[in-house]
Amino acid sequence: MSVLGLDVGNENCVVAVAKQRGIDVLLNDESKRETPAVVSFGEKQRFMGAVGAASATMNPRSTISQVKRLIGRKFREPSVQDDLKLVPFETSEGPDGGILIHLHYLDEKQSFTPFQIMVMLFGHLKQISEKNLETHVSDCVIGIPSYFTDLQRRAYLHAAEIAGLKPLRLMHDCTATALGYGIYKTDFNGGPANVVFVDVGHCDTQVAVASFQPGQMKILSHAFDSNLGGRDFDEVLFRYFAANFKEQYNIDVHSNLRASIRLRAACEKLKNVLSANPEAPLNIECLMVEKDVKGFIKREDFEKLS
């Protein structure tokens, strides 16, 4: 039986499977390797993955994302409050001090915990796997950040079990990266080789140093910043253009939820353009009050803002 590898990120999920010929990354219904970590609740049904992400603009209050940052956390934690400022859905403190997510589903107001949303995501990844492999799957290895607490780790294991999976173990993200790097390499005969791996994710940055010898791998050290990732660079661009548009077009993006979502999505694409170009334009049609907006930024100016 094949063993799944599940990478549940803050923004996207990836499923891979170990086979006799190697490691294969499975494709979702859109023939893509990455599946958005999104669950959207409509009037009569819920939408998962890419279909759910497509509902983010039209149905932002009932489209749930970034639950990786919320699972196993307390509502009153300062870092949790900072994270909740970046999400469009309504939240409150639960009876146990945890987080409750409030939304409209099946024509009534309902509440879910981040744990319940994670169960739905695991179930969706299981469906993708079984559709690709055309067989029942259960055994899996789940990637997690090295800074996860024991409570968060147990929540991941429990959520996967409820979704019908059998987690064999949890593996740190950088450990999985190092293993994927060294598993097929055969040029470690000259003694231990130390390699540094840097993982800049959507919401965090992790670094690990691994030592390789023939047939062996050992993680020597690891470090992390759990509050520095790609979304923080997006937020820098968002604040810059929000202030620019308020001055130039007399519109307040912060006052309109859909406009904020569209601007953040545009800023993420602009950031990717800046990674390979010295400058990048930004154009959004009908951002607010039927106004088309245009912006421009140079990479050197973006680096100063960061």
Side-chain angles (χ1 to χ4, degrees), residues 1 4 6 118-120 122-124 126-127 130 136-140 156-167:
M1 181 181 292
L4 300 177
L6 303 179
M118 186 62 70
V119 172
M120 299 175 195
F122 275 127
H124 182 58
K126 185 175 186 291
Q127 291 177 355
E130 292 180 338
H136 173 75
V137 296
S138 60
D139 292 349
C140 66
Y156 257 50
L157 292 172
H158 193 194
E161 290 170 354
I162 293 176
L165 295 167
K166 181 183 177 182

Side-chain angles (χ1 to χ4, degrees), residues 11-303:
E11 185 178 32
N12 294 298
C13 305
V14 177
V15 185
V17 61
K19 295 184 177 180
Q20 291 182 350
R21 65 177 182 271
I23 308 297
D24 290 347
V25 177
L26 304 183
L27 303 181
N28 59 21
D29 293 338
E30 289 74 32
S31 298
K32 295 181 179 179
R33 292 173 174 242
E34 294 184 341
T35 298
V38 173
V39 180
S40 182
F41 295 83
E43 294 182 359
K44 297 182 179 180
Q45 61 181 325
R46 69 184 186 193
F47 303 96
M48 316 285 287
V51 180
S55 305
T57 303
M58 299 303 298
N59 188 25
R61 295 291 186 186
S62 295
T63 300
I64 315 305
S65 61
Q66 302 194 43
V67 293
K68 178 179 179 179
R69 298 284 296 181
L70 307 179
I71 190 169
R73 308 289 297 278
K74 296 298 183 182
F75 180 79
R76 294 184 180 273
E77 292 181 43
S79 59
V80 170
Q81 289 299 310
D82 291 338
D83 289 334
L84 293 179
K85 294 176 182 178
L86 301 177
V87 297
F89 45 86
E90 180 185 350
T91 59
S92 69
E93 185 175 9
D96 61 349
I99 302 165
L100 282 179
I101 300 170
H102 306 288
L103 49 86
H104 284 276
Y105 180 45
L106 301 177
D107 295 327
E108 62 182 38
K109 191 169 184 178
Q110 301 194 30
S111 298
F112 295 93
T113 64
F115 176 84
Q116 291 173 312
I117 303 297
M118 186 62 70
V119 172
M120 299 175 195
L121 288 174
F122 275 127
H124 182 58
L125 297 180
K126 185 175 186 291
Q127 291 177 355
I128 292 175
S129 306
E130 292 180 338
K131 185 175 182 178
N132 272 266
L133 302 174
E134 298 181 344
T135 185
H136 173 75
V137 296
S138 60
D139 292 349
C140 66
V141 175
I142 304 173
I144 60 169
S146 59
Y147 56 82
F148 259 19
T149 64
D150 183 65
L151 182 60
Q152 290 173 298
R153 294 165 193 258
R154 292 180 183 274
Y156 257 50
L157 292 172
H158 193 194
E161 290 170 354
I162 293 176
L165 295 167
K166 181 183 177 182
L168 302 180
R169 67 171 297 170
L170 301 176
M171 182 178 291
H172 291 166
D173 294 330
C174 284
T175 301
T177 303
L179 182 61
Y181 168 82
I183 193 169
Y184 296 120
K185 292 186 72 69
T186 58
D187 55 350
F188 294 133
N189 297 324
N194 297 335
V195 183
V196 178
F197 298 91
V198 181
D199 177 10
V200 181
H202 182 246
C203 64
D204 56 25
T205 298
Q206 300 179 75
V207 181
V209 180
S211 176
F212 294 93
Q213 296 188 60
Q216 295 182 3
M217 183 192 80
K218 181 179 181 181
I219 300 297
L220 301 180
S221 65
H222 63 82
F224 58 82
D225 187 332
S226 59
N227 295 300
L228 176 63
R231 67 172 186 174
D232 298 289
F233 296 102
D234 299 340
E235 193 65 18
V236 167
L237 289 170
F238 173 82
R239 291 195 297 265
Y240 171 80
F241 283 109
N244 183 281
F245 295 156
K246 187 173 184 178
E247 179 181 351
Q248 185 175 355
Y249 298 99
N250 195 30
I251 57 175
D252 184 6
V253 177
H254 295 281
S255 65
N256 188 299
L257 182 57
R258 291 183 180 179
S260 295
I261 293 175
R262 292 186 63 196
L263 179 56
R264 281 194 170 93
C267 287
E268 182 180 6
K269 294 179 181 179
L270 184 142
K271 177 191 66 178
N272 296 333
V273 174
L274 284 176
S275 66
N277 298 275
E279 56 190 30
L282 183 143
N283 300 292
I284 305 177
E285 295 182 357
C286 298
L287 178 63
M288 276 184 64
V289 292
E290 299 183 357
K291 286 188 177 181
D292 301 337
V293 298
K294 295 183 179 180
F296 176 86
I297 190 171
K298 295 182 178 180
R299 187 197 301 172
E300 58 184 27
D301 295 330
F302 172 53
E303 291 174 351

